[in-house]
Structures are given as C-alpha cells and as structure tokens.
C-alpha cells in the first residue's frame, strides 16, 4: 500500500512540528517528526495495523 500525502497534510505536519519545536525544543520536534514517518512506513507495509476509524455519530 502506498500512502499519499496531500499538500494539506504535509503543511499540517510541518505546522505541528513547528508548534512542538516552539514549546518543547528541536529534539522533541525532530523525534515526533521521525516517529510520524516511521508510523506511516509501518502502515504502508501492514495497513491492518491501524484500521480505518469511523465516527459512530457520522454513520
């Protein structure tokens, strides 16, 4: 499975990383960034790790 990042998701991730960096420092922000990418890699290899969530109020 290939995970496709939208432009919005790329910008959102970078905004989150910037926020973390401002509040907690560069090392914490970098750790978060790489953990997100590692999680995405794991999902690409095994999509069953994180099943699709459906909000029960929207079904």
């Amino acid at each position: 499975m290939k995970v496709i990042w939208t432009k919005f998701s790329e910008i959102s991730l970078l905004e989150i990383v910037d926020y973390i960096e401002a509040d907690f420092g560069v090392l914490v922000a970098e750790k978060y960034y790489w953990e997100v990418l590692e999680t995405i890699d794991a999902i690409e290899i095994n999509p069953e790790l994180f099943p699709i969530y459906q909000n029960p109020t929207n079904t």
Side-chain angles (χ1 to χ4, degrees), residues 8-43:
F8 179 77
S9 62
E10 290 176 355
I11 291 169
S12 294
L13 176 60
L14 294 177
E15 288 175 349
I16 292 167
V17 170
D18 287 344
Y19 173 82
I20 293 170
E21 183 178 339
D23 281 3
F24 303 102
V26 174
L27 293 178
V28 175
E30 286 180 355
K31 182 178 185 217
Y32 174 80
Y33 177 78
W34 288 112
E35 286 181 0
V36 168
L37 295 184
E38 288 173 0
T39 302
I40 297 300
D41 288 343
I43 292 170

Side-chain angles (χ1 to χ4, degrees), residues 40-59:
I40 297 300
D41 288 343
I43 292 170
E44 286 182 332
I45 294 167
N46 185 1
E48 302 294 319
L49 286 174
F50 296 93
I52 296 173
Y53 172 78
Q54 293 185 2
N55 188 340
T57 60
N58 292 336
T59 56

